[in-house]
Amino acid sequence: MPLLIDFQDAREATRWRTINDDVMGGISRGEMTVENGIGVFSGELSLEHGGGFASVRRDPEAFELDGYAGMMLNVRGDGRGYQLRLRTNRLFDGAAYRARFQPPAGEWQRIVLPWRTFEAVFRGRLLTDAPPLEPDAIQQVGLLIADKQAGPFRLEVEWVGTQGDGDRG
């Protein structure tokens, strides 16, 4: 299982950008920091002013994931629902493929997300006419919270890797 993102790498913290609901008038806060070699996606979700999401995206990179069965993450959550988002050049700007996951609060858990679990979305709506996710076209990885629950959130990420063909889940 090749690691795509390893927060033990000191440069990893500089590769993430924040995109929160302030782009549409909301006041949610979210960011990616690194604490002791662990990525921490944290902040506060607000439902005021039409908001309700916080997200981070890693700088684009050609991951070349053809031949893998999906993605895996090792995370410790807070009991809230999150999304792993993948962007390709096959969708229009702003659209992404998402897979939802909800790790139990306070426990490290390996999340397995086969390609078939990803669905194309734009602003929270399913894109029924979008092409299927092509792993070799993935250029960007991101995390998003939009679970309609105001309040603080925290998702710790040790690493993001691939699910090998022998690891089907």
Side-chain angles (χ1 to χ4, degrees), residues 5 10 13 29 31 37-38 45 52 79 94 96 110 117 123 130-131 135 137 152 163 166 169:
I5 300 168
R29 300 182 290 105
E31 65 179 347
I38 302 292
L45 203 63
R110 185 172 292 188
T117 63
R123 295 185 180 160
Q163 177 194 13

Side-chain angles (χ1 to χ4, degrees), residues 97-116:
Y97 294 92
R98 76 169 176 210
R100 297 176 190 201
F101 62 98
Q102 187 169 351
E107 290 177 33
W108 282 103
Q109 184 177 46
R110 185 172 292 188
I111 304 292
V112 177
L113 301 168
W115 298 133
R116 70 179 177 279

Side-chain angles (χ1 to χ4, degrees), residues 2-158:
L3 290 185
L4 303 176
I5 300 168
D6 183 356
F7 288 96
Q8 294 291 323
D9 180 344
R11 297 168 299 179
E12 192 60 43
T14 65
R15 296 179 176 154
W16 292 81
R17 307 289 172 252
T18 300
I19 297 97
N20 295 324
D21 58 16
D22 57 347
V23 298
M24 52 186 266
I27 58 171
S28 296
R29 300 182 290 105
E31 65 179 347
M32 178 67 82
T33 58
V34 177
E35 299 174 5
N36 301 315
I38 302 292
V40 180
F41 173 42
S42 64
E44 184 149 355
L45 203 63
S46 171
L47 306 179
E48 294 179 38
H49 305 291
F53 79 89
S55 72
V56 290
R57 293 183 200 161
R58 191 174 185 267
D59 291 341
E61 179 177 335
F63 288 108
E64 300 178 9
L65 299 178
D66 200 30
Y68 294 99
M71 303 287 286
M72 290 194 338
L73 304 87
N74 202 43
V75 299
R76 180 166 53 191
D78 53 9
R80 295 182 70 166
Y82 293 89
Q83 298 175 25
L84 180 67
R85 291 195 157 219
L86 305 175
R87 292 181 178 274
T88 75
N89 61 3
R90 309 255 161 85
L91 294 177
F92 56 88
D93 190 38
Y97 294 92
R98 76 169 176 210
R100 297 176 190 201
F101 62 98
Q102 187 169 351
E107 290 177 33
W108 282 103
Q109 184 177 46
R110 185 172 292 188
I111 304 292
V112 177
L113 301 168
W115 298 133
R116 70 179 177 279
T117 63
F118 287 86
E119 55 192 3
V121 294
F122 178 68
R123 295 185 180 160
R125 292 191 245 10
L126 285 178
L127 298 174
T128 56
D129 59 347
L133 175 62
E134 294 182 38
D136 63 334
I138 296 169
Q139 298 175 329
Q140 192 173 48
V141 173
L143 294 165
L144 181 136
I145 184 168
D147 64 358
K148 298 180 177 30
Q149 299 177 47
F153 65 88
R154 181 180 174 95
L155 178 70
E156 297 175 63
V157 183
E158 184 179 15

